[in-house]
Amino acid sequence: MSRTGVLVLGPAGAGKSTFCNGIISHMQQIGRRAHLVNLDPAADPQQYEFTIDIKDLISLQDVMEEMELGPNGGLLYCFEFLLNNLDWLDEEIGDYNDEYLIFDCPGQIELYTHFPVLPTIVKHLQQSLNFNLCACYLLESQFIIDSSKFFSGTLSAMSAMILLELPHINILSKVDLIKSEYSKKQLKKFLNPDPLMLAKKEDEFNPKFSKLTNAIANLVDDFGMVQFLPLDCSKEGNNIETILSYIDDVTQWSEAQEPKEPKDEIEFNEDD
C-alpha cells in the first residue's frame, strides 16, 4: 500500500504549525490517524508532540554553537546532514502505511525555492518509500493588504510549485484576521487572482517599477497556476475539513485504502 504525506511549506509566521495541528485535531475527530514529522531543527512541539523529530538527529542550536554558524547557514548544514543520513529518516518512518504523515517544514523558503534540499527529500520519499505526496504552501492573508507583497508571495508559491514538481495546494492563511477589512467578494479576487487586474492599480506601485510589475504580472498570468484556498481558524469559520478534502483528492488517499467488508446481505421474506 502506498503512503500519504503532506509537506506544509511557507514563509516564517504563515501559520504552518497551527495548520499542521489543526489537520491532526480534525482527523482525530473523524477517526483517522495522522502523525507530525518535524523537519525544522529549531522548532518545538505545540498542541501535539512530534512522532518524528529531526532534532533527534541534529539540532540547529547545537550546530550554531559547535560550527559557529548563523541561523541560515546552520539550517543548510542541518539539511545537508539529513541528506547524508536519509537512512535515519527511513527507520523513523518505519511501517506507517495507511496513516497520514504531516511534514512540518522550516520557514526559510529558500530551502524549496532556491536550493535542491527538499526536492531531494521529496524524490527519496516517492521513489524509496513509495509515498503519495502533496505540498501545501501557506501565504499569510496580510500579504493581500499590499499588492506588491502579494505579488512577491505569489511568485514564491509558484517557485516552490515548479521546483518540487508535486501536486500543490496554495492556502491563504489567517483569513479570520482580515474579515473586518475585506468582504467575501473582495477576498475572492485574491483567492483566484487576476495578476493583470491587480497590476493595473498603478497608484499602489512606484512608477519606476511599473514595467517590472507588469512583467511579473504577465509571468504569473502566463503560468496560470496560482490559486488559493482560504484558511479560517476561527471557531465560526474553521474550514480545515474542506482543505483536507482537497488533499485527499490530490494524494488519491481514498483509492489507496483497503476495501471494506460488505455488509451482511439483507434477508428477504419468503413471500418476496
Side-chain angles (χ1 to χ4, degrees):
M1 180 182 294
S2 61
R3 299 165 172 176
T4 301
V6 181
L7 275 73
V8 181
L9 317 170
K16 297 185 296 297
S17 296
T18 301
F19 175 64
C20 291
N21 283 275
I23 288 181
I24 290 184
S25 177
H26 175 71
M27 283 190 169
Q28 288 185 350
Q29 292 174 13
I30 61 176
R32 284 167 59 179
R33 299 190 64 184
H35 299 275
L36 265 179
V37 180
N38 177 41
L39 291 183
D40 186 349
D44 294 317
Q46 295 183 0
Q47 183 178 357
Y48 296 96
E49 292 293 326
F50 301 134
T51 301
I52 301 171
D53 189 354
I54 190 177
K55 288 197 296 183
D56 293 337
L57 174 70
I58 189 168
S59 165
L60 178 60
Q61 186 63 37
D62 292 341
V63 169
M64 290 174 61
E65 292 176 357
E66 295 179 17
M67 307 295 294
E68 297 183 354
L69 294 172
N72 290 334
L75 189 65
L76 284 174
Y77 181 92
C78 289
F79 271 88
E80 288 175 357
F81 189 82
L82 174 62
L83 293 180
N84 291 325
N85 294 274
L86 286 175
D87 55 333
W88 171 85
L89 186 61
D90 296 350
E91 292 177 5
E92 291 293 312
I93 289 176
D95 297 323
Y96 294 117
N97 288 322
D98 55 351
E99 301 172 15
Y100 260 64
L101 293 185
I102 312 296
F103 295 84
D104 192 359
C105 300
Q108 283 76 3
I109 61 174
E110 59 268 22
L111 290 172
Y112 35 90
T113 57
H114 296 78
F115 298 103
V117 173
L118 278 185
T120 302
I121 295 174
V122 164
K123 288 182 180 178
H124 179 76
L125 291 172
Q126 290 175 319
Q127 297 173 5
S128 300
L129 300 181
N130 196 29
F131 265 91
N132 282 336
L133 296 172
C134 84
C136 288
Y137 190 96
L138 273 67
L139 185 68
E140 191 176 355
S141 61
Q142 298 294 329
F143 272 63
I144 74 174
I145 296 174
D146 185 335
S147 294
S148 60
K149 288 179 65 177
F150 184 72
F151 272 128
S152 173
T154 300
L155 281 176
S156 65
M158 192 168 70
S159 177
M161 293 171 74
I162 294 170
L163 191 66
L164 291 177
E165 298 180 335
L166 285 176
H168 205 98
I169 297 173
N170 294 305
I171 299 170
L172 197 63
S173 63
K174 304 181 182 180
V175 170
D176 46 302
L177 300 182
I178 60 169
K179 276 184 174 180
S180 60
E181 302 176 53
Y182 287 83
S183 65
K184 289 184 178 180
K185 185 177 181 179
Q186 289 175 312
L187 183 61
K188 191 174 181 180
K189 68 180 181 181
F190 291 97
L191 299 179
N192 190 6
D194 182 345
L196 299 178
M197 182 190 71
L198 294 175
K200 289 179 180 179
K201 298 182 178 182
E202 299 290 344
D203 56 318
E204 295 184 14
F205 300 102
N206 189 321
K208 294 181 180 179
F209 303 114
S210 59
K211 289 185 178 180
L212 175 61
T213 300
N214 283 305
I216 293 173
N218 278 288
L219 176 66
V220 175
D221 187 61
D222 287 344
F223 273 88
M225 295 164 53
V226 182
Q227 298 177 345
F228 292 92
L229 295 175
L231 175 60
D232 185 347
C233 290
S234 64
K235 291 183 179 179
E236 298 80 12
N238 194 330
N239 56 344
I240 288 286
E241 182 178 3
T242 301
I243 295 174
L244 182 59
S245 69
Y246 277 83
I247 296 173
D248 286 345
D249 286 343
V250 299
T251 57
Q252 299 179 330
W253 177 81
S254 59
E255 296 180 16
Q257 301 308 296
E258 294 288 349
K260 296 181 179 179
E261 291 293 330
K263 296 181 179 180
D264 294 335
E265 293 183 5
I266 300 175
E267 295 183 2
F268 293 95
N269 295 327
E270 293 181 358
D271 295 335
D272 291 343

